[in-house]
Amino acid sequence: MLSLIRNDQDIQESEEQLLLQDIIREGRIAPHFQPIVDLFSGEVFAYEVLTRCEEPFSNPSRMFACAREWNMSWELENACRTSALERITGFMPEMKDMHFFLNVSPYIFNDPRFVSGTTLASLQNLGLNSRNIVFEITETASVSDYQKFEGLIRYYKNQGFQVALDDFGAGHSGMVTLVAMTPHFLKIDMALVQGIGNSAYKQKLVRAIVSFAREVDAACIAEGIEDFEDLETLHRLGVQYGQGFLIGRPVPQPAEPNPVMLEGLYRMIHHKTRWRFAVDESLSGMVVKPRTYKLEEITCEDLDLIFRKDSGLDHVVILDRKKAYCLIPRRHFYSVIGGRYGYSLFQRKFAETLGKTEMLCLNEHVDLRTTGRLAMDRRQEDLYDPVVIIGNEGEFVGTITMKQVIHKAFDMEIRIATCSNPLTQLPGNLIIGVWLEEAVRSPDFCVIYCDLDNFKAYNDAYGFSRGDEALRLTARILNEFVQQHCPLSRLGHIGGDDFIIVSETSVTEDLLDELCRSFDQFRIQLFSDEDAQRGWYSTTNRKGRKVSVPLVSLSLAVVTGANFSGDIHPGQLGQTAAMIKNKVKSRNIETGTSGYLVDRRGFR
């Protein structure tokens, strides 16, 4: 019986092997395209080309595993790559500035047949350019000869190709592969991406990856994004590009991203600029409309005359209908035509021939700090190019020069410093007032007044220096809570031991419980081991008597939009919170633990 089953399996495997040979020989492979989106502009940056095939190879992982087992890896990957390049050729010239990510296994990348078949000349014969192609090297397969591998990477980079390291953080020999590749893109594995909105550990790890990528002039792409909470967290952590089913599924033709996702992404961009500080750090007030020309409207000779007549003209933008096609900075223009034969070669050609199509394009709602960071993360030769600003539909809005960004950032830092609490560096009352005025416009707003219980007694017993330490610890706990659970909320320091969290959306009681538990867990750092263990400490009251005081706890007085109807003055929020704060403080002092009270009353 077992031999019959084994024979049937052998027959099936033999038939599947012949079928795969036929599929490869006849090119019955269907490339699919999944969008990779810039999370700071909403624009499609690239498409990853994925392989799809008929049954029983509808699962690509199984198909490639079978190909390896049957010694057909080179033939299959070559067929996939050929099919992909042929399809990409059909999208030209409309998508001549688009990037396409092609998956390549390290052992195929090392194959001499790959090197001879994937050259700049072979691409040009198809009407493609090396800047269109990004070789995506999967990290899950090991590299046997890193010295040879590094040499091949350098060879392709010198031809203008870019490389991406796939599955970063989850594959085999990741760090060694990273050093050998020095990739242009780090694709963060979906194991780190999915659920990141609820994982402080993953957030810290991805933040470290983003920081490292900046240091080595690489860009991060988050793979496997499937829900808005993860998308918002990745956006907040500074991941520039995203890919996943939420953004767009693989389809036979390059398609626009999911419109629902784009709407949510634009909302995130807009929220991020709406005040964490009461100083104007949005880009809208800085945008300048430069000189623009249509495609094939102006030659290099004409542009040379324009630049010579207007010495203050820093750059021009070439438009393709309503969208920016390319940027032509003065410095770049003359670096190209200023050579011995440059002018004679280009004077009759249209100006866009010399334009930079790979511009830094940002949505008009992106904040100044993000703009400065992304601008300074560019290549050395692009470092001081203007930033192109676009609207939600991708339409050209204007540009911002780096001189504007630097001046504005310097001015903003001064104003932030004057409005912040010197001890905790959190925004103070002037900024908080702006937040409250904004919050009351939302029907679901939530304001949490945070107050330390028994703080004066703690100061008397342990000293003002330890009191300052207690305030800094409280600020750190509250800030981590906001960053992890309420990213659209804002944290301020009213003064003394009073803090405030202002949110335009509701905060669940489960989260309030978690905040109280977190504070009670960390407060023991403020006390001696003896006091922390018994849960109280001794001090002298105003009458000179020794008294026992419970450990410092945190009182949360919560006021929501449900408490009010009609127009609300921000001052009403403080009055309402004061009514309930005493109740929650009394309860906390009795129990010796932190707690909250949500006001259920309604006011007109």
Side-chain angles (χ1 to χ4, degrees), residues 39 193 196 206 222 225 230-239:
L39 301 184
V193 168
I196 192 172
V206 169
I225 302 175
D230 290 344
L231 177 64
E232 193 284 326
T233 303
L234 292 162
H235 183 267
R236 173 168 51 84
L237 293 174
V239 176

Side-chain angles (χ1 to χ4, degrees), residues 165-198:
L165 179 56
D166 192 21
D167 301 328
F168 184 67
H172 179 80
S173 301
M175 291 302 147
V176 181
T177 308
L178 177 64
V179 172
M181 284 181 60
T182 58
H184 299 90
F185 303 97
L186 290 177
K187 298 196 75 177
I188 303 173
D189 189 80
M190 65 173 63
L192 298 179
V193 168
Q194 294 178 351
I196 192 172
N198 296 313

